[in-house]
């Protein structure tokens, strides 16, 4: 589930929440999964991966990850991302574009402190996306961390990412196939709303 706090009272945020509530009502599985696409200009590569969106705090969308992972290298190299959710239970896709940045150390420490020790052992022990000899080595590293590490202390290489969209597209599939596409673009601090052909 996504935790909403002090949600920004502008139309695209309210619409996001309205669609989220509809998907919750339809028991949408994996509702917090969001695809994040990035561009690493050092290696000229575009990539995508799902993460779990944990919070929407005011106008900030927040997920957590490893700060030494390939996605982190991409965000450092080029701070614009595209984010994408699709909730099949209501047949709605939401596309977003945003600049991304790290959350504060204080925020990360507080969040990490309140997570389960099992989750934290994995965050501490995993050199995310680096090759390893075997899966049993992954489990060994995890078990070592579970026994030996301070599982309340957030490592420097782990924390949150926050993005505030400057572009939203809400796509609603209709039985008639006359699908509805509404976009919101922030121009000079004002949201401009328009429609796109399906
Ligand atoms: C549904 C789903 C949720 C995921 N959530 C996260 C997450 O919150 N944070 C994370 O670092 N990886 C998450 N992952 C794993 C990422 O997709 C990815 O494998 C990992 O972050 C490494 O990505 P990178 O090599 O691009 O840095 C999730 C995967 C799936 C399928």
């Amino acid at each position: 589930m996504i935790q909403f706090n002090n949600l920004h009272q502008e139309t695209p945020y309210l619409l996001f929440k309205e669609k989220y509530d509809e998907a919750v009502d339809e028991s949408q599985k994996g509702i917090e999964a969001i695809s994040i696409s990035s561009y690493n200009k050092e290696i000229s590569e575009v990539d995508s991966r799902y993460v779990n969106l944990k919070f929407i705090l005011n106008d900030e969308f927040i997920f957590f990850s490893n700060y030494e992972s390939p996605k982190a290298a991409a965000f450092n190299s080029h701070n614009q991302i595209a984010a994408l959710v699709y909730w099949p239970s209501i047949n709605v896709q939401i596309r977003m574009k945003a600049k991304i940045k790290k959350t504060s150390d204080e925020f990360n420490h507080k969040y990490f402190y309140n997570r389960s020790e099992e989750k934290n052992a994995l965050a501490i022990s995993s050199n995310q996306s680096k090759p390893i000899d075997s899966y049993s080595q992954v489990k060994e590293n995890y078990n070592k961390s579970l026994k030996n590490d301070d599982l309340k202390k957030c490592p420097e290489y782990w924390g949150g990412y926050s993005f505030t969209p400057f572009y939203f597209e809400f796509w609603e599939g209709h039985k008639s196939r006359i699908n509805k596409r509404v976009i919101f673009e922030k121009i000079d601090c004002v949201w401009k709303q328009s429609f796109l052909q399906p």
Side-chain angles (χ1 to χ4, degrees):
M1 301 295 279
I2 304 169
Q3 199 179 309
F4 293 78
N5 270 351
N6 186 26
L7 186 69
H8 209 44
Q9 295 296 298
E10 290 182 344
T11 313
Y13 286 89
L14 298 174
L15 196 50
F16 188 101
K17 180 67 164 61
E18 186 183 309
K19 295 295 157 199
Y20 176 83
D21 289 342
E22 286 175 17
V24 169
D25 286 346
E26 295 298 324
S27 309
Q28 176 64 56
K29 287 202 181 114
I31 197 163
E32 64 285 341
I34 183 165
S35 163
I36 304 290
S37 299
S38 57
Y39 173 59
N40 185 328
K41 67 176 183 217
E42 319 307 330
I43 54 172
S44 301
E45 272 194 13
V46 173
D47 206 351
S48 298
R49 78 289 290 153
Y50 278 103
V51 295
N52 284 326
L53 189 62
K54 290 290 177 187
F55 298 104
I56 302 181
L57 304 180
N58 195 267
D59 60 356
E60 294 185 64
F61 287 61
I62 295 175
F63 64 91
F64 293 86
S65 194
N66 183 297
Y67 285 161
E68 294 174 358
S69 62
K71 74 179 88 48
F75 303 155
N76 282 340
S77 144
H78 181 79
N79 69 355
Q80 188 176 327
I81 55 129
L84 183 65
V85 293
Y86 175 58
W87 293 321
S89 63
I90 56 166
N91 202 13
V92 163
Q93 168 184 257
I94 305 173
R95 294 166 70 171
M96 288 159 273
K97 297 178 196 172
K99 296 262 163 85
I100 192 161
K101 61 178 196 287
K102 288 180 181 172
T103 51
S104 70
D105 288 349
E106 192 192 348
F107 183 83
N108 297 345
H109 283 89
K110 197 169 160 200
Y111 181 71
F112 195 84
Y113 187 87
N114 289 306
R115 293 198 338 156
S116 72
E117 300 206 327
E118 288 74 19
K119 279 187 181 172
N120 287 352
L122 191 65
I124 292 170
S125 65
S126 173
N127 241 325
Q128 194 176 54
S129 302
K130 303 283 184 307
I132 191 160
D133 288 343
S134 62
Y135 183 56
S136 55
Q137 185 69 58
V138 173
K139 289 196 264 189
E140 204 176 295
N141 291 348
Y142 168 80
N143 285 321
K144 261 194 217 157
S145 176
L146 206 50
K147 267 196 219 138
N148 304 323
D149 289 326
D150 177 353
L151 299 170
K152 289 289 175 195
K153 190 170 181 295
C154 182
E156 271 176 21
Y157 52 83
W158 193 92
Y161 279 103
S162 146
F163 64 90
T164 297
F166 57 81
Y167 179 96
F168 287 86
E169 179 198 323
F170 293 85
W171 179 101
E172 291 180 23
H174 287 264
K175 280 203 184 94
S176 64
R177 300 292 169 116
I178 309 174
N179 302 325
K180 184 177 175 190
R181 298 178 68 195
V182 185
I183 62 165
F184 298 88
E185 271 179 290
K186 202 160 203 182
I187 299 167
D188 297 332
C189 302
V190 177
W191 287 106
K192 182 175 167 276
Q193 180 181 339
S194 47
F195 293 93
L196 298 180
Q197 298 180 47

